Amino acid sequence: TGINLLELVVVFLVLGILTAMSWPVLIRQVAKAKETEAIQTLSSIGFSQQGYFFEHRQFASDYGDLGVAASGAHFNFPPPNTPAGGNYSISQAVTQNAGLDASRNYSLGVYYNGSSYQLILCQSSTPGGAVLAPSAIGGACSGGVQID
């Protein structure tokens, strides 16, 4: 009345199949949790850029000017693309583990149209793929999709 070897093999086979089916879901959920870091940091940068523009009539070209710690455990934040005298600034969040996990890259555009601000957040179409926010209000994200 004990467990024979065949029953034990069947149990391990079933466990292996269940693990193989759930592994991709687990990896994607971990990536989503990591992506929250990028979205929160870019959001802070966006709102800080608006305040900076209100005070200086230009967007900051360095995160230090904003008083924002643009660093993270899972994403790098290259210096913003802020043209001199321009009415926009584009910041990026680039995954540190491109190709090793399912994290997507992000790009945030902050725009001023003379009377109000607009933020456009873009997400790369593929994990680790390049993405760039448009350089003008109403433009389309390059290499990704706009998320709300």
Side-chain angles (χ1 to χ4, degrees), residues 45-148:
I45 290 169
F47 290 120
S48 296
Q49 282 284 28
Q50 291 177 29
Y52 188 90
F53 191 94
F54 182 77
E55 291 179 11
H56 300 96
R57 306 309 292 168
Q58 66 181 12
F59 288 109
S61 59
D62 184 76
Y63 296 127
D65 296 338
L66 300 174
V68 174
S71 62
H74 307 290
F75 284 85
N76 294 321
F77 298 89
N81 174 10
T82 306
N87 62 346
Y88 72 93
S89 177
I90 297 176
S91 299
Q92 301 220 6
V94 180
T95 182
Q96 294 177 359
N97 297 319
L100 299 178
D101 64 18
S103 297
R104 298 173 189 266
N105 293 328
Y106 290 85
S107 182
L108 174 75
V110 184
Y111 311 91
Y112 183 69
N113 68 2
S115 62
S116 64
Y117 298 95
Q118 182 176 355
L119 279 75
I120 297 176
L121 181 62
C122 302
Q123 176 187 52
S124 65
S125 299
T126 58
V131 64
L132 187 61
S135 58
I137 295 174
C141 298
S142 173
V145 295
Q146 180 175 338
I147 59 175
D148 298 319

Side-chain angles (χ1 to χ4, degrees), residues 1-12:
T1 62
I3 298 175
N4 66 29
L5 183 60
L6 182 60
E7 291 171 335
L8 193 58
V9 168
V10 169
V11 168
F12 279 113

Side-chain angles (χ1 to χ4, degrees), residues 24-58:
V25 174
L26 175 67
I27 294 298
R28 184 66 196 135
Q29 292 304 316
V30 169
K32 281 185 180 180
K34 290 177 181 180
E35 289 173 1
T36 301
E37 169 192 309
I39 293 169
Q40 288 179 339
T41 302
L42 286 175
S43 177
S44 294
I45 290 169
F47 290 120
S48 296
Q49 282 284 28
Q50 291 177 29
Y52 188 90
F53 191 94
F54 182 77
E55 291 179 11
H56 300 96
R57 306 309 292 168
Q58 66 181 12

